[in-house]
Amino acid sequence: MPVSSVWRWVPSQTQVLTTSSVLMLVVACRRDRETPPTDGALPTETEDAALWAARDAAWQNVLWAMDDELYEQVPSIAVAVVLDGQTTYAEAVGVREWDTNKPADVDTIYRWASVAKMHTAAAVLLHASDGDLDLHDPIRDLVPEFRLEAGYSANEITLHHLLSHQSGLPDRLDWRCEETLEQWFEVDWRPPALAPPGAFYNYSNSGFNLAGRALERLTGTPFTTLVQEEVLQPSGMVDATYLADDVPPRRATVGTRWRNDEPVLYPLQDYDCPTSRPAAWLHGTVGDLAATAELHLAAGADLLTPEQVQAMADQADTGWRSDGSSRVGYGQFTHQYKGVQIVAHDGRVAGFVSRWAVVPSHGFGVVVVANAEWADVEKVRDVALDSFLGLHQLEQDPVTTTDPSTWEIYAGTYYDPYLWGTVRVEWTGSGLQLELPDWKQSTSLIQSDGHAFWFQWDDGTWYSVRFVFTDGEPQARWFVERGGVAERTSILRGAAERPPPTISPRAMQELRSRARHEGPDGGITGPPQPR
C-alpha cells in the first residue's frame, strides 16, 4: 500500500552479525504502511502487493551491500531511502564505537561533514529572499575586515561566488579549531586569491565558512543558532545540531581513522571545530538527513521556493565532465548517473563519511552515513539507486577521451604560491609527464574525461586535476586541483624564480589523506578505473 505522511519507526527484522572483534546488532526499520486518503483511483491489491514486493527486494539489496561494507575497520553504517518524497526505509548496522558492543540504530547521531553546506546555503537564500542581502554584492559589504594577501581584490568576491565554489579562495587546510569565525576571517587569515572570482569552479570549504561569518555579521546571531532556528527545526530535523556537546553520549558515534593499521578515534565532543561549522560540522541521525532529501523533493515545501531549490542544485559547470553534465549549485551538485540526473553532495571529515542524493524525476532519495573514513558508502548509495530505479544492467555514463598526440595544449610550467609551488607538465608526444619539484614528485597524468586527469603520488595517493582554458587561448591557463590552483608562468607577472609554496607539511599531510578518498565534487572515490 502507499505509505502515509504520518509515520513512526518500527522494527521489522533483527540480525546478529559476528566479526573478528565484535557482535553487531542490526535493527532494520521501515515506515508503517497505511493507505492515505486520495481522490484518485487506488491501485488494486495485486498491483499494490507487487509494488511493495519489488521495493522490499530492492531494500534487501541495500541491506546486503551494507553488510558487505561492515568489516573490522568500519564500525557502523546507517542508510535511509526516500520513496515518493517520503522516508520509507531506514536501518543502521554495526556499533557506535569501534571495538565495543554499543549498537548503532536509526537514532544514532553521526557527523555529516560537507553535506552540511546545503544547510548553510539554505540559510543564505532565506535572507536573500527577505531582502536582507544580495547574493551578488561584495562579501566585504558584510565582512569589511576580510582581506586578500595579494592579487585580486576581495571586493570582487560575492556570496554567489562563495556558495558555488567560484571565489578563487584556497581551501584552507591548516584549520585552527580553537578559533572563532570572527578571528579566522577578520584577524588571522589573509589568503592569496588563486584566480579571478567567477573564473571557474574549485571546491573550497573556506568559502562556506566565510558565508557563515557573513550571516553572523548580517543578523548579529551566532551561526549555529541562526541555522538551527531558521533551517533545521522548520525542516523537521529534530536531532540535528552543530554543537557536539548537545549530542547525548548514549546516541553519539565515535569517528574512526586508521593509521598504520591502528585506529585513531574521534569522539564528537573531543573533536569539535567552530571555524568549520558552516562547511562541515553538523550532526544528526540518518532520519534527519533524509528530511533534507524530503525538503528538496517537495520543491522546498514551506521553507524554500522551487526557484531556491533549483538554485541550490545548479549554478555553473564544474568542468569535470566534457559534456557539461557536472554542475555545481549553492551547496549541492547535479550530475548524471547511468542516464538519470541526480542532485547530490558527499562529505568526509576525520572519522566520518556521508552521501546524500536525490532523483527529483523519480521522487527518490538516499542518504548514507558511517563512522569510518574508509567505508565505501558510495557503493551502498549506488546499490540503492540501481535497485530502486532499475538501473542494474546499465553502464556508467561514457566519458570523453582524446588522442594524446593533441595534448601539447596542456604542456608548460605553472605556479601556485599556496599549495603546489612550481608545476611542470611535459608533453612526450604520447602522453603527459607531471613534475612537482617542490614536493620531489614525478608521475604520469592519466586522462579521466576531457580536460580532467588523474595522477598518483609515490605513496599511492590519487589526485584528480583538470586544466582550465580562457576564451580564445590555445593553451591551458590553469592547473586546478582541489587544494590549489597553479597559473601558467608565461601569464604571471613577477620574478622568474618563485618561492616554494606556503602550505605547512601538516596541512599537506591532511590533503594527502583526504585526496585519496575525495573526488572533484567533494565526494569520496577510489582511483581511476581502467577503460
Side-chain angles (χ1 to χ4, degrees), residues 61 67 81 134 218 245 272 289 292 312 327 329 388 460 484 508:
N61 288 339
D67 289 347
V81 168
D134 189 315
L218 173 72
D245 287 341
D272 198 2
L289 194 52
T292 310
M312 291 180 67
R327 308 282 298 176
F388 281 96
M508 187 61 181

Side-chain angles (χ1 to χ4, degrees), residues 56 63 284 297 445 530:
D56 285 346
L63 299 181
L297 292 170
L445 287 171

Side-chain angles (χ1 to χ4, degrees), residues 297-317:
L297 292 170
D302 295 327
L303 184 68
L304 300 170
T305 67
E307 292 75 20
Q308 289 171 325
V309 170
Q310 179 60 28
M312 291 180 67
D314 190 354
Q315 288 295 317
D317 185 357

Side-chain angles (χ1 to χ4, degrees), residues 82-135:
V82 178
L83 299 177
D84 302 323
Q86 295 182 329
T87 305
T88 306
Y89 297 95
E91 180 172 350
V93 298
V95 292
R96 292 185 284 112
E97 181 178 351
W98 181 82
D99 204 19
T100 70
N101 292 317
K102 303 173 183 177
D105 58 32
V106 294
D107 290 322
T108 296
I109 293 176
Y110 294 79
R111 181 166 284 151
W112 294 348
S114 289
V115 171
K117 288 180 174 64
M118 65 182 74
H119 306 92
T120 300
V124 172
L125 290 174
L126 287 174
H127 282 275
S129 65
D130 289 341
D132 299 336
L133 57 84
D134 189 315
L135 294 175

